[in-house]
Amino acid sequence: MSKAIVGGGPKKVLYALKTARRIGLENTAKALTAHNTCKACGLGMGGQRGGMTNELDEFPSVCNKSIQAQSTDIQPGIPVEVLTHALSDLRELDGHELEHLGRLSTPIYKSRHADRFEPISWDDALDLAARRFLATTPERTFFYSSGRSSNEAGFVLQLLARAFGTNNVNNCSYYCHQATGVGLGTTIGTGTSTVELEDLSLCDFILVIGANPSSNHPRFIHQLKKCRERGGEVVIINPAKEAGLVKFAIPKSPKSMLKGGDFIASDYLQPRIGSDMAVLKGLAKAVLAAGAEDTDFIAQHSHDFAAFRADIEATDWTGIETATGLTRADIERVATLYAKAKSAVFAWGMGITHHLNGVDNVEYIANLALLRGQIGRVGAGLLPLRGHSNVQGIGTIGVKPVLAKEVMAKMEAAFGLPLPKETGLDTMACMKAAADGKMDAALLMGGNLYEANPDSSWAAKALGQIGFKMYLTPTLNKGHIHGIDNSEALILPVTARDEEWQPTTQESMFNYVRLSDGGITRLKTVRPESDILCDLATRLMPVTPVDFQAFKAHKTIREAIAGIVPGLEDLADIDVAKREFHVRGRLMHTPEFHTPDGKARFITRPLPPVRGDTLLLTTVRSEGQFNTIVYEYKDSYRGMDDRWSVMMNTDDLAQHGLSDGDKATLTSDHGIMENVTVRAFDIARGSVMAYYPEANILTGTAVDPRSKTPAFKSTPVRIQAA
């Protein structure tokens, strides 16, 4: 990797200006300044404080992701002549080209034996959908949502599914941070961040592990920079040396831009892929050896420390070094920085959760924080870096296969309706049921389930086994044109967040609920997701205690949520009070944990086996990308012009008879990538890095047994010259 590459900088400013010119400066200004929550990452901004303002009133809080997300919403409708091309024609377009065809502005339908979509009226579309769902049994259906949708639409979706008779309700978090929810649940009794944004202004140590916020959460880089400016430490643990985590030129800071960027990481460890637990055990071992644990906190506020300590002491340094590829001195150096910290925040991404032991990894992050009493006070705690802007909110309001008994009881009481008691299927379980021919109909609200799945060829076949699929989406993606050859597909166009007919709400990764005004009109033929779901529910269940037509009023939905979901009581009058809020009981500024006795628990797990000489693949996103959406082919931060590339350590290339720029074939037990370009990169030995979702053809469907999350970040692969 070239030493000259710096994250952020003038190129990002120029990109923003270019995008603004393409979609119109007036449109851009309206989209970015209106009182609507940012559509990109879960860091959150916007809402009632203003479009480019965060909850600390910092302005401008905007980044490339915000502009990229807006750019595809501010497009004209796709001409019907384009939509009715043969599927074979549409499949010649890649994801970037499909996204930039324009907005979907009319319902379209493909019959089972057709080779193309045709326009269909709204009434005919909804009548058809109702007939297809009623033609099967509820247990042979599932309902899925991405993290783009509002709390209001998500609540109606899960209520519709359960009133229909199934708990097969799931969301995209099963393919990202579900391991976080499970791992934090076993240790501290909650599944979300314990800190608010203000806590990041008070800490003097931030550890970022298994994440690349310079590409995926750019505004988080501002907080890392501020920590460094206060004299604090920012430690990055990542197999790849990411340019934007080394040095970043903050676009809104003239000083940062003029001097060529600010150093972000004060220390940087590059362990082998899949060795996160060994790194965390090593850090804990060094902290204990230095006597830096908080004995009073441990004694008063935790359980099972003795077993944890015994396991750490029994784990030898040789095993840790072998597993991680790091030296003892490397780990002890970082542990010393942590031991000196007064207030520490731990942040992580899918580099932690996308493993067969993802939950174990999260538990050990919590263990490390508990070791020094760095949870349960101001300025310190745990921060999972969530992806989509409302993925956390979608889970909070019940788009998941298992609800708390309290929530189910309140929902039944509120609507006078018995709900199904069977355990619902998670996302991968629904896909596997589909592959086995056990799913007849699916409602997919947003997202791109095809490309989000591992083992792309398997995913297409599994989706193809579902007789009828109903998609709610603002734009087209590859998920709409793959896996539908011998089945029916109905695609309905929906409003973007700032086009909603009524205000909606979203929840950030800091448990902060914002109110989006909506109200912008771009396309007159699109409808809100909540309206579509209510009309479908009325057709599916004309006689039901739930008045779904009343839920067309978002205020009615919010009042229902406030009475059913603990922590969201303040949602009831948010449209009147305009008072945004933190979900009650989530932030931990005192050491009172959400466990039965109020104490945290140290968890002890064995280290996973060392993979030896096996090359392990990790899939990653580029700077010009959000989730499965590719906005730019070029990855400027890594200096890559071609997404059909793999990145490896120079020594590994040489070992396999390859040089930078060569063509190669990369294979796994699940698939093959032919004629890829190999690039030398500063990455740990034994590691291969390739772009998601292209490299999903290599990943498998095995999941972490506790979180049901696939191992996108640790796939054994083989490489040879093309």
Side-chain angles (χ1 to χ4, degrees), residues 404-618:
K405 291 181 180 179
E406 174 191 5
V407 173
M408 285 289 276
K410 285 186 176 181
M411 202 179 302
E412 288 183 323
F415 301 114
L417 178 72
L419 299 176
K421 300 301 185 290
E422 297 82 9
T423 299
L425 299 178
D426 60 81
T427 307
M428 178 55 77
C430 284
M431 287 295 299
K432 289 185 175 179
D436 292 338
K438 297 178 180 178
M439 285 292 171
D440 297 323
L443 194 160
L444 309 173
M445 186 164 74
N448 180 354
L449 189 54
Y450 162 67
E451 288 196 291
N453 263 287
D455 196 342
S456 302
S457 59
W458 172 85
K461 292 174 184 176
L463 289 167
Q465 290 281 87
I466 303 170
F468 175 78
K469 291 175 288 295
M470 175 179 178
Y471 302 91
L472 308 185
T473 181
T475 57
L476 289 180
N477 60 53
K478 292 177 77 171
H480 300 127
I481 58 175
H482 287 268
I484 63 171
D485 283 350
N486 299 305
S487 57
E488 294 178 277
L490 176 67
I491 308 180
L492 303 182
V494 302
T495 54
R497 181 170 299 163
D498 55 3
E499 300 167 351
E500 288 275 356
W501 298 351
Q502 303 171 67
T504 60
T505 56
Q506 295 79 33
E507 179 187 336
S508 79
M509 69 171 72
F510 295 104
N511 308 295
Y512 190 74
V513 177
R514 288 183 173 83
L515 178 70
S516 294
D517 287 350
I520 296 175
T521 300
R522 299 190 182 100
L523 300 170
K524 295 182 179 180
T525 51
V526 300
R527 296 186 181 183
E529 290 168 330
S530 54
D531 267 48
I532 297 169
L533 294 171
C534 288
D535 284 340
L536 175 63
T538 300
R539 286 167 166 82
L540 282 176
M541 298 165 286
V543 180
T544 176
V546 183
D547 186 353
F548 279 101
Q549 286 303 303
F551 277 158
K552 283 190 172 181
H554 285 180
K555 181 176 178 61
T556 304
I557 303 174
R558 287 191 290 270
E559 288 172 347
I561 296 172
I564 292 170
V565 182
L568 290 181
E569 293 82 0
D570 295 328
L571 202 65
D573 66 349
I574 192 173
D575 58 316
V576 176
K578 305 290 184 180
R579 185 172 55 248
E580 298 170 323
F581 61 92
H582 286 96
V583 179
R584 294 183 190 179
R586 292 270 184 87
L587 302 179
M588 290 188 175
H589 287 156
T590 58
E592 299 170 12
F593 300 100
H594 299 168
T595 56
D597 62 3
K599 292 187 176 184
R601 281 167 173 75
F602 283 90
I603 303 295
T604 301
R605 306 286 182 198
L607 286 176
V610 177
R611 298 289 189 123
D613 295 331
T614 305
L615 288 175
L616 291 180
L617 167 73
T618 181

Side-chain angles (χ1 to χ4, degrees), residues 619-671:
T619 58
V620 295
R621 293 165 173 80
S622 67
E623 191 280 327
Q625 177 179 3
F626 186 70
N627 292 346
T628 58
I629 303 171
V630 177
Y631 295 106
E632 299 176 77
Y633 294 115
K634 184 175 182 179
D635 187 354
S636 58
Y637 291 2
R638 297 189 181 107
M640 300 290 164
D641 294 317
D642 180 10
R643 292 181 60 85
W644 199 250
S645 300
V646 298
M647 292 154 270
M648 295 174 62
N649 184 285
T650 303
D651 292 338
D652 284 333
L653 288 179
Q655 183 178 332
H656 289 83
L658 294 165
S659 299
D660 182 68
D662 284 353
K663 297 293 184 180
T665 297
L666 192 65
T667 60
S668 73
D669 290 342
H670 314 286

Side-chain angles (χ1 to χ4, degrees), residues 202-219:
L202 304 173
C203 63
D204 62 347
F205 178 93
I206 302 177
L207 185 146
V208 181
I209 180 169
N212 181 18
S214 61
S215 287
N216 302 318
H217 301 85
R219 284 182 297 108

